[in-house]
Amino acid sequence: MDHLDGNALAGPLADYFSFDVTEARARCNGCGTVSEFARALVFTSPAGTVVRCGSCDHVLATLVEAGDRAWLGFSGVSALEVRRA
């Protein structure tokens, strides 16, 4: 089977990264709960933002912003459900 490089993802992923993330449902790696990101616990500090599961307090995601760059980590999410338009 032939393969393409990561540039082939630009079109398909653009649809999924232009949504309201608070409406997306995430599955927590810690407890398995599936819930909207809007129900998560969000802690902010000058160092960045930490998103924790509302059920078990497991870290779902992190966000660090500096100047014109941002680092997003979803290490605590095993799946993200997004509704298609």
Side-chain angles (χ1 to χ4, degrees):
M1 174 185 239
D2 291 333
H3 70 276
L4 304 169
D5 68 16
N7 290 308
L9 295 171
L13 288 182
D15 292 339
Y16 297 107
F17 283 96
S18 61
F19 62 91
D20 180 355
V21 73
T22 63
E23 294 178 3
R25 294 170 47 91
R27 182 184 306 123
C28 175
N29 280 336
C31 68
T33 296
V34 177
S35 183
E36 293 82 9
F37 259 107
R39 298 184 184 275
L41 307 174
V42 178
F43 300 88
T44 61
S45 77
T49 300
V50 175
V51 182
R52 293 184 171 273
C53 175
S55 295
C56 74
D57 204 40
H58 185 80
V59 174
L60 297 174
T62 56
L63 168 61
V64 176
E65 298 176 288
D68 64 346
R69 292 192 247 175
W71 292 264
L72 304 166
F74 291 93
S75 62
V77 174
S78 62
L80 190 63
E81 177 187 342
V82 180
R83 292 199 180 268
R84 292 182 172 185

